[in-house]
Amino acid sequence: MTKLTADAVSCLTQAGRAATGLGLGLCLALAAGRSWAERWSAAASVDGRVTATDNANFDARSEKKGDVILEVTPRISILGEGARLRLNGSAGLSAFTYTKGTQDSQLVPTAAASLWLEAIERTFFIESNVNVARVVDNPFGPQAPSASNVNTQDTYQARVSPYFAGILGSRFRYLLRHDSAWTRSSGGTTSIGNQYASHEAAELALLPRPFGASLRYDRDETNRIEGSQGRSRSEIARASLSLSPDPQLTIGVRGGHERNNFPGFNSDRNFLGAELAWRPTERTSLALVGEKRFFGNGWTATFDHRMPRLAWSVRSSRDVSTSAQRFLGLPATLDVAALIDASLTTRIPDPIERARAVEDLIVSRGLPRTLITPIDLFDERIEIQTINTATVSLLGARNAIALTLFSTSTEGLASQTIGGVQPTTSLLDNRQRGVGLSFSHQLSQRSTLNSEANWRQTRGIGSSTGEQSRQQIYQLRFTHLLSPKTSTTAGVRYQVFDSTLQQDTTEKAVFLGIGHRF
């Protein structure tokens, strides 16, 4: 405990001086890991790919320029598991070279890490997350392959969340929590620069046996790190009454008062709502919360179900947020690894062994690491977001299927942004729909054929009504294992993009790749 405290204080001091949330989270993870990780698993890999494309810049059909792209990506990952610590992280660095010079050579870092630490047994906990990614900039523009810098921006996010939580006596539950999130984006038309978001929560709840109740206070704030101009703040006090007729079901009503102070918009009002939680088995869960808020109906709904070879996940929500605040919630990502992990939970309960099995399945079956997702806007507005997603994965003896569907709506709430200026474009208000399907068939013990189809549509709303963009991406990939740790790939890709805002275009590409895990 003394060693952990010294390590944590040292790295927290250095991270604070550097004013980086990334350093904060990573130092906490390293300090904790040395003391409480009972089991560790580390892996490294390197992937190389050569892609020949007839449209490197997604130019109009009459202005296409072909190129040959060379790509090398080393990756590392680490997983730590203990009674009081869970650490899961990965990082990579992709180097791209365009042999004909249609784009500049570039280095693109990626990273994702999460930490959960029980610092004081059953009393004090710390969560931390970091994320570094290149994301789509304009939802009305084309979504280019990973090797391209067309319509992209780079994002860096970090979150640190210390909190006290526990049980008082036999029926009272308490929570005191503070979340801090740092978000930086650059290189795009809507980049937010540096934003900081904080969330404080205090709750005292009487567990339903069969009647229960709770009192909760939440406070959210977002501002630019460079100054306080355009700061947004919201405060919500809630009270709820609940009934649990059996251990698997809880229903309740809630009400409260909220005060919101946003740039160009203020509100102060009461609200009412209802809630439901149902968990018939450890494999199935349903949670619903609905409230009549100042912006209309707000809600969160989640449904998860897993079987030995099948996993379902459905999410729906409507709320007000900013780019930095959305990272505080850490919504479930639509990545294939998470779907496979859920479907293997029953067969492989050990998390480290399951992580290895997930990676083996992705490599051996040539599965994509991510599915098509809604484009999240990194801008300075306060927004009303409605998000609906559904994902399912099915693992058979020789076949594997992953399917995702989504529908989202994003609308600006106020006339000004966090930075205190008017939004630069009305095209940020939009509705997105999409579907992605991946099918993998194992031809032999060493060879697999994988096909992917993705479709996305973005429509303007409000002042941009009538504007729209559509994109279709089709890919066929053959994977062959040279050895248990070395794989080769060959494939073709075809894309179609049409829009009312820019000229229509297509892209054809062929690629060859090789990967090795150490």
Side-chain angles (χ1 to χ4, degrees):
M1 184 70 174
T2 303
K3 173 64 174 173
L4 171 65
T5 303
D7 289 339
V9 169
S10 174
C11 66
L12 284 171
T13 301
Q14 296 175 15
R17 290 173 180 169
T20 84
L22 290 174
L24 201 64
L26 290 174
C27 284
L28 283 170
L30 291 174
R34 286 195 290 266
S35 301
W36 278 322
E38 298 174 0
R39 301 180 61 202
W40 285 98
S41 174
S45 65
V46 61
D47 294 288
R49 175 178 284 198
V50 179
T51 302
T53 174
D54 71 339
N55 194 358
N57 292 318
F58 266 76
D59 291 322
R61 289 184 174 92
S62 60
E63 301 173 0
K64 285 184 179 182
K65 294 180 181 178
D67 210 331
V68 176
I69 307 165
L70 307 180
E71 174 185 354
V72 177
T73 304
R75 292 189 184 89
I76 59 172
S77 62
I78 187 169
L79 179 64
E81 184 77 17
R84 296 170 62 180
L85 169 71
R86 292 192 297 271
L87 174 63
N88 190 353
S90 63
L93 182 64
S94 298
F96 302 105
T97 297
Y98 290 74
T99 60
K100 295 184 179 181
T102 55
Q103 292 187 34
D104 295 333
S105 299
Q106 53 191 299
L107 293 174
V108 180
T110 59
S114 63
L115 164 76
W116 176 85
L117 170 67
E118 187 178 359
I120 301 176
E121 188 174 4
R122 300 179 183 179
T123 304
F124 180 59
F125 307 84
I126 298 173
E127 294 177 4
S128 183
N129 294 79
V130 295
N131 190 68
V132 178
R134 172 164 287 186
V135 300
V136 177
D137 177 36
N138 185 344
F140 286 89
Q143 184 172 3
S146 60
S148 177
N149 58 15
V150 175
N151 190 32
T152 61
Q153 59 176 311
D154 297 316
T155 62
Y156 310 86
Q157 296 176 291
R159 176 183 71 110
V160 178
S161 304
Y163 62 97
F164 292 89
I167 302 294
L168 298 174
S170 61
R171 289 196 61 186
F172 285 95
R173 184 185 72 239
Y174 69 90
L175 172 69
L176 292 171
R177 181 178 178 118
H178 175 82
D179 301 277
S180 294
W182 297 263
T183 298
R184 175 178 174 79
S185 68
S186 60
T189 59
T190 63
S191 298
I192 62 175
N194 293 303
Q195 268 194 17
Y196 170 76
S198 64
H199 172 249
E200 289 84 34
E203 182 180 27
L204 180 63
L206 176 67
L207 300 178
R209 297 176 182 172
F211 295 100
S214 71
L215 296 173
R216 182 181 175 102
Y217 171 78
D218 292 272
R219 182 179 185 273
D220 289 278
E221 184 172 310
T222 302
N223 63 274
R224 289 183 65 93
I225 293 177
E226 291 85 353
S228 60
Q229 183 184 22
R231 175 179 300 175
S232 74
R233 181 185 295 115
S234 66
E235 297 175 276
I236 302 177
R238 289 183 175 92
S240 67
L241 297 174
S242 58
L243 170 66
S244 184
D246 64 64
Q248 291 77 37
L249 176 64
T250 301
I251 56 177
V253 294
R254 52 170 56 192
H257 185 83
E258 61 180 327
R259 181 183 296 116
N260 300 283
N261 295 288
F262 302 141
F265 182 89
N266 295 296
S267 72
D268 195 327
R269 56 165 290 167
N270 299 322
F271 64 89
L272 294 173
E275 58 190 52
L276 179 148
W278 181 52
R279 192 177 180 87
T281 70
E282 65 175 13
R283 298 182 180 183
T284 305
S285 64
L286 172 67
L288 304 172
V289 174
E291 294 174 334
K292 187 70 173 180
R293 299 282 302 280
F294 74 96
F295 56 88
N297 293 323
W299 67 80
T300 59
T302 63
F303 173 73
D304 294 290
H305 177 68
R306 59 180 172 83
M307 300 172 64
R309 295 185 179 274
L310 178 69
W312 292 83
S313 179
V314 180
R315 300 282 187 273
S316 179
S317 65
R318 186 173 190 262
D319 204 351
V320 170
S321 68
T322 63
S323 294
Q325 284 178 341
R326 286 194 285 275
F327 190 62
L328 290 174
L330 294 173
T333 56
L334 304 181
D335 64 285
V336 174
L339 290 170
I340 297 176
D341 184 271
S343 63
L344 294 179
T345 300
T346 302
R347 283 187 286 169
I348 310 176
D350 182 86
I352 290 183
E353 294 301 321
R354 191 167 64 248
R356 291 172 180 159
V358 169
E359 182 65 18
D360 287 342
L361 278 170
I362 289 177
V363 173
S364 64
R365 303 224 181 164
L367 296 173
R369 294 188 176 273
T370 58
L371 299 170
I372 188 172
T373 61
I375 297 173
D376 191 13
L377 299 175
F378 284 82
D379 59 19
E380 295 191 336
R381 305 186 308 163
I382 299 99
E383 296 166 333
I384 303 174
Q385 274 204 332
T386 304
I387 303 175
N388 304 297
T389 63
T391 58
V392 60
S393 69
L394 176 63
L395 292 175
R398 299 183 65 180
N399 299 319
I401 298 174
L403 172 68
T404 180
L405 302 98
F406 67 82
S407 173
T408 70
S409 173
T410 302
E411 299 178 73
L413 173 68
S415 60
Q416 290 186 318
T417 66
I418 300 299
V421 298
Q422 294 289 335
T424 57
T425 175
S426 62
L427 295 179
L428 298 174
D429 291 342
N430 67 86
R431 287 193 176 96
Q432 300 178 43
R433 294 186 299 165
V435 58
L437 175 64
S438 173
F439 175 74
S440 173
H441 176 68
Q442 194 167 13
L443 301 172
S444 66
Q445 189 174 1
R446 290 178 174 267
S447 300
T448 302
L449 188 65
N450 176 269
S451 60
E452 297 175 45
N454 295 291
W455 176 86
R456 177 198 303 277
Q457 181 187 64
T458 303
R459 289 181 177 271
I461 56 179
S463 59
S464 59
T465 298
E467 307 292 359
Q468 68 171 336
S469 296
R470 286 191 299 266
Q471 185 169 9
Q472 304 169 60
I473 307 173
Y474 305 97
Q475 184 168 273
L476 185 65
R477 182 172 61 250
F478 173 78
T479 301
H480 180 73
L481 296 179
L482 299 178
S483 72
K485 293 187 176 182
T486 304
S487 62
T488 58
T489 61
V492 295
R493 180 179 66 232
Y494 178 65
Q495 301 191 64
V496 180
F497 175 78
D498 58 86
S499 173
T500 59
L501 297 167
Q502 62 186 77
Q503 291 183 308
D504 300 345
T505 188
T506 62
E507 187 238 14
K508 304 182 190 71
V510 297
F511 54 87
L512 297 171
I514 186 169
H516 181 75
R517 292 180 294 162
F518 298 95

